[in-house]
Amino acid sequence: MSSESVQSEIEALRQDLHRHNRLYYIDHRPEISDEEFDRMLRRLQDLEEEYPQYRDPNSPTMRVGGDISGKFEKVKHRYPMLSLSNTYSLDELMDWAARVGKASAEEPEWVCELKYDGVAIGMRYEDGKLAQALTRGDGETGEDITTNVRTIGSVPLVLQGDYPDRFEIRGEIFMPLEAFAKMNAARVDAGEEAYMNPRNTAAGTLKLQDSAAVASRSLDCMLYGLYGDRLPGDNHFDNVKAAASWGFKTPDPSKRFIERCKSIKEIEAFLSYWENERRQLPFEVDGVVIKVNDYALQDELGFTAKSPRWAVAYKFKAEQATTRLHAVSYQVGRTGAITPVAELEPVLLGGTRVKRASLHNADQIARLDIRLGDAVQVEKGGEIIPKITAVDFTRRAADSHPFTYATHCPDCGTALIRKEGEALHYCPNTEHCPPQVKGRIEHYISRKAMNIDGLGAETVAQLFEAGLVKRPEHLYTLTKDQLLPLERMADKSAEKLLEGIEASRNVPFEQVLFALGIRYVGATVARKLARHFGSIDALMAADMDSLMAVDEIGERIAESVLDFFAERHNIEMVEALRAHGLQMEIKKENKEQKGSVFENKSLVVSGVFQNFSRDELKRSIEAYGGKVASSVSSNTDYLVAGDKMGPAKRKKAESLGVNILSEEQYLNMIASE
Ligand code: IVH
């Protein structure tokens, strides 16, 4: 290829990818499939690899991330990054508005916005490209986290439309609640401690030294402030609107995320709307920011040492209540991790009766100096489980004494251990501690693991107490006669349970591997390991280096896998499960050749099918010798068309003379083999 044509292909791909990124992350109306997007991205990656002279820090390929060398550089802010004065009181807010009103001849125009609970970011754009992204730091100097910010899908790397050549835009990076919940579920699955809240998780994520990990965490970014000499408008609202047209994600007026208000009454209406509605938002907000819209009036009002006089934050009161701490109990997880739980005098909080709250770990108890019998403040924030946020020391009994954390497992009495650098205590009695034993079996049968129908936590407890099942492999020797004496176990339910256990022998290896319950190996990591090593034997033979060579497997996971297989009882479990016929390798038949109708043919799959998932159809094509391509081109031999296939694809196939196969025709072709 000539160098001009390489360069123009690279540029065209970048432009297309920036556009599709915007359509996906900001406008929420994608025009192409994820596969198509990935294909284009891969092509661009290949070209950039081959022609490094055309690399660009704002290429869409930079969103994938990579290692960051060393520390984040400290950089002085061009415009100091101030904070806002806060109030929780409507009266104070009204006083502020009245004071501001006096500075202007007529009632000023206000802008009300949500106050996003995330991490402040300031981003400088030059000639329409992201040049630098800084954290707030101490307000004067921030840290350069550009590489990490580039991985956030809703941050434009390249702008569109009529933007000023130099300006700064500020906003908030946050983790949407769904992403936070998913991430925590995966952590709990892998036997890790859940993160406390989305805000801290977003902050921690932005400081990671591996931007590929940042890319996988689904951060989002909302922008709400512009700074520069040549901004298009003379007021805040118009400039935010203009920023949206350049490709930024800004507060949407049609969702009432931002609103111009002509009077204090209108401000009040905005506040009372969000006081309730904020609970429906897919991200956390902790208040409303009220700003003077007009820049000239903003300048006139100026700043105090720390914050502008032209804006104020009205913070929502977290739902709080004070109650008595009766006791601290401890939960023992399947990996032996101990979590302390506060047992409270029941109290009403946000419409529900609360009698337990999370205490996180021993450090948290010590930090707040929580003692038995204390009057404590419980709060329901973004988390589902309420937490204790403070102690009312004025109400502390004279004879109270500092809380002593458990030294021994509350269930089996073994001395607890706490590894260096870890927040949680562990019970090391892995093999015999009852909640660990039951927890492992519950994990083994869970939906994402072996998915055993007819077996729940209650039955597991009964089986354990009856001495029938102490390890997963014991499930496979259960008989109906053993089951029937159990409470609430009828003929039918016993049969169903045995059928469920029987069916688990066919569960794919990657799920079996997850079911083994190796610490830090969640469903996703298990899949990666299974695909990489192909069998339990290869995995057991792997050393540190070969484990760490697997995509996204770091030292912590690798070590945990090695530790797991170093335990005799774990090897015994694997061997017993193998002897019971469980899948200990990736099924060969997936790759098996079944025929050759599509030998040397290129096929594209599109739409939804009756007899196959798309992945199954692809595997089937490969089993009959064909290759699967992601988009229709002149090299395509067949397009297999399912329901809901896009009309553009069909048109393209027709214009290129590609054979279009219905699902039925496809089935006939493979049947004729
Ligand atoms: S305007 C001069 N608008 O709240 C300060 N800030 O407590 C201008 N924040 O540092 C800030 N949502 O990180 C503004 N809609 C919003 C905001 C917002 C969240 C954060 C921001 C700021 C902090 C102040």
Side-chain angles (χ1 to χ4, degrees):
M1 244 195 300
S2 78
S3 82
E4 284 105 87
S5 69
V6 169
Q7 201 177 359
S8 68
E9 183 178 355
I10 288 181
E11 262 156 31
L13 278 168
R14 283 182 185 158
Q15 239 178 44
D16 280 357
L17 285 162
H18 281 310
R19 182 168 162 272
H20 289 303
N21 192 77
R22 202 161 50 236
L23 286 166
Y24 185 88
Y25 283 104
I26 299 188
D27 304 337
H28 303 296
R29 45 178 187 92
E31 285 177 4
I32 59 173
S33 67
D34 295 358
E35 285 165 347
E36 188 97 345
F37 188 92
D38 290 343
R39 190 191 57 76
M40 286 162 68
L41 191 66
R42 261 198 306 278
R43 170 77 183 149
L44 180 58
Q45 272 166 335
D46 290 347
L47 287 172
E48 288 179 353
E49 184 97 351
E50 198 175 339
Y51 303 94
Q53 65 268 42
Y54 300 127
R55 283 201 186 157
D56 175 346
N58 285 315
S59 166
T61 54
M62 293 299 177
R63 291 200 188 276
V64 182
D67 274 349
I68 294 167
S69 48
K71 283 211 153 106
F72 300 111
E73 204 187 324
K74 291 225 165 23
V75 180
K76 200 167 154 46
H77 288 295
R78 178 134 189 235
Y79 309 91
M81 247 169 134
L82 300 171
S83 61
L84 290 169
S85 58
N86 285 333
T87 177
Y88 289 90
S89 126
L90 215 52
D91 284 345
E92 268 181 36
L93 178 66
M94 297 310 146
D95 288 348
W96 170 80
R99 247 180 295 139
V100 168
K102 277 196 197 133
S104 104
E106 53 205 84
E107 168 92 29
E109 183 171 64
W110 314 96
V111 173
C112 288
E113 283 168 29
L114 291 174
K115 186 171 187 312
Y116 303 92
D117 196 10
V119 183
I121 190 78
M123 302 191 291
R124 193 157 50 76
Y125 280 78
E126 280 171 16
D127 299 321
K129 297 203 170 116
L130 173 62
Q132 193 170 56
L134 300 179
T135 62
R136 179 165 182 275
D138 62 5
E140 290 291 326
T141 308
E143 281 182 314
D144 183 337
I145 55 164
T146 318
T147 315
N148 283 345
V149 170
R150 279 207 177 95
T151 66
I152 301 174
S154 55
V155 169
L157 303 180
V158 169
L159 303 181
Q160 55 179 354
D162 200 8
Y163 47 80
D165 49 5
R166 272 180 78 90
F167 66 95
E168 184 169 332
I169 190 161
R170 290 186 179 167
E172 207 81 358
I173 292 175
F174 57 91
M175 182 172 278
L177 290 169
E178 196 187 325
F180 178 69
K182 266 201 187 141
M183 189 174 153
N184 264 348
R187 284 179 70 84
V188 171
D189 270 351
E192 292 180 79
E193 195 188 0
Y195 284 129
M196 277 211 207
N197 64 49
R199 205 204 77 84
N200 292 354
T201 312
T205 301
L206 286 171
K207 291 288 176 72
L208 291 176
Q209 289 287 336
D210 169 10
S211 62
V214 181
S216 71
R217 292 252 186 119
S218 308
L219 295 177
D220 203 345
C221 179
M222 187 68 92
L223 294 147
Y224 48 66
L226 283 114
Y227 298 78
D229 302 329
R230 277 196 283 279
L231 299 177
D234 64 3
N235 67 72
H236 171 64
F237 190 86
D238 287 347
N239 281 333
V240 170
K241 210 162 107 188
S245 77
W246 307 332
F248 289 105
K249 179 162 179 168
T250 59
D252 183 348
S254 75
K255 292 187 181 146
R256 282 191 91 174
F257 287 3
I258 182 168
E259 198 160 280
R260 266 185 297 197
C261 295
K262 304 257 180 269
S263 66
I264 296 190
K265 247 203 154 87
E266 287 181 18
I267 298 178
E268 275 184 88
F270 188 87
L271 296 180
S272 67
Y273 177 77
W274 284 112
E275 192 86 57
N276 292 317
E277 288 301 310
R278 70 186 159 116
R279 288 182 194 86
Q280 317 295 331
L281 287 167
F283 46 79
E284 287 198 325
V285 296
D286 58 345
V288 165
V289 183
I290 302 103
K291 301 176 180 174
V292 166
N293 192 25
D294 184 52
Y295 281 164
L297 183 54
Q298 282 189 6
D299 285 345
E300 210 174 298
L301 290 160
F303 298 86
T304 68
K306 280 190 299 190
S307 51
R309 288 201 186 84
W310 46 262
V312 73
Y314 173 80
K315 299 254 255 182
F316 297 129
K317 283 184 213 57
E319 284 158 317
Q320 281 180 340
T322 301
T323 188
R324 197 62 69 181
L325 173 67
H326 287 317
V328 172
S329 60
Y330 299 89
Q331 277 173 356
V332 186
R334 71 174 161 88
T335 59
I338 310 286
T339 355
V341 178
E343 306 288 347
L344 306 164
E345 177 66 34
V347 63
L348 268 178
L349 188 59
T352 47
R353 193 162 160 272
V354 171
K355 54 177 183 179
R356 306 185 95 196
S358 165
L359 283 168
H360 299 296
N361 53 47
D363 288 345
Q364 173 84 351
I365 298 174
R367 205 163 28 239
L368 295 174
D369 185 19
I370 297 171
R371 301 181 182 188
L372 295 181
D374 272 348
V376 292
Q377 199 170 62
V378 276
E379 190 173 303
K380 218 176 197 172
E383 303 87 30
I384 296 146
I385 309 159
K387 61 182 176 205
I388 292 183
T389 52
V391 172
D392 182 350
F393 294 109
T394 64
R395 290 164 64 188
R396 174 168 281 174
D399 61 351
S400 98
H401 45 85
F403 183 75
T404 39
Y405 199 79
T407 52
H408 289 75
C409 176
D411 279 271
C412 71
T414 307
L416 299 180
I417 51 165
R418 189 186 198 181
K419 283 200 200 137
E420 183 142 341
E422 296 218 4
L424 295 183
H425 287 72
Y426 283 87
C427 166
N429 183 17
T430 321
E431 261 187 283
H432 304 292
C433 176
Q436 292 189 57
V437 173
K438 281 186 272 184
R440 276 197 299 273
I441 297 161
E442 279 170 29
H443 171 75
Y444 183 84
I445 62 171
S446 65
R447 200 177 45 81
K448 277 194 269 174
M450 305 307 282
N451 195 17
I452 298 185
D453 255 1
L455 192 50
E458 240 173 79
T459 318
V460 168
Q462 287 188 55
L463 290 169
F464 173 78
E465 264 124 48
L468 291 170
V469 177
K470 292 199 168 119
R471 298 158 68 129
E473 61 264 36
H474 298 159
L475 291 168
Y476 297 93
T477 47
L478 283 176
T479 63
K480 201 165 162 186
D481 291 342
Q482 288 174 317
L483 292 173
L484 285 174
L486 299 180
E487 229 177 285
R488 277 193 297 269
M489 185 65 74
D491 217 59
K492 263 239 169 75
S493 38
E495 267 165 29
K496 192 165 166 232
L497 204 169
L498 291 172
E499 275 166 27
I501 293 171
E502 189 54 39
S504 74
R505 291 182 219 257
N506 293 321
V507 164
F509 171 52
E510 58 185 56
Q511 277 168 257
V512 178
L513 184 55
F514 172 58
L516 295 180
I518 306 172
R519 198 165 161 210
Y520 305 138
V521 177
T524 314
V525 170
R527 194 175 321 118
K528 289 218 158 100
L529 289 171
R531 295 208 177 141
H532 184 92
F533 291 100
S535 71
I536 197 85
D537 292 321
L539 180 65
M540 289 196 294
D543 60 10
M544 192 75 187
D545 287 343
S546 47
L547 283 164
M548 289 198 26
V550 185
D551 183 31
E552 280 179 45
I553 307 294
E555 200 174 318
R556 200 183 49 134
I557 299 176
E559 234 162 46
S560 168
V561 172
L562 292 175
D563 286 351
F564 184 88
F565 290 118
E567 297 278 348
R568 189 182 40 87
H569 61 98
N570 287 331
I571 303 283
E572 281 169 9
M573 165 170 71
V574 169
E575 293 312 332
L577 290 174
R578 193 201 307 260
H580 286 300
L582 280 110
Q583 303 298 318
M584 290 297 169
E585 57 182 25
I586 288 189
K587 264 203 173 155
K588 291 280 185 308
E589 75 192 39
N590 288 347
K591 294 177 220 146
E592 227 168 56
Q593 211 56 29
K594 291 186 181 157
S596 55
V597 248
F598 296 122
E599 195 76 64
N600 295 326
K601 300 276 189 259
S602 169
L603 286 84
V604 172
V605 169
S606 182
V608 184
F609 300 89
Q610 307 290 326
N611 296 287
F612 307 90
S613 72
R614 277 161 71 105
D615 279 341
E616 282 165 352
L617 181 55
K618 286 180 187 171
R619 278 202 293 275
S620 160
I621 291 171
E622 280 162 3
Y624 286 94
K627 284 199 192 64
V628 182
S630 56
S631 67
V632 175
S633 73
S634 55
N635 294 327
T636 311
D637 296 295
Y638 296 100
L639 169 66
V640 192
D643 289 342
K644 296 190 191 141
M645 181 180 81
K649 250 198 188 137
R650 178 176 289 273
K651 238 188 176 158
K652 187 162 180 195
E654 279 167 359
S655 72
L656 291 170
V658 171
N659 291 307
I660 302 180
L661 294 180
S662 67
E663 185 172 354
E664 203 184 334
Q665 286 169 318
Y666 176 85
L667 286 168
N668 287 339
M669 280 183 79
I670 58 172
S672 68
E673 259 282 296

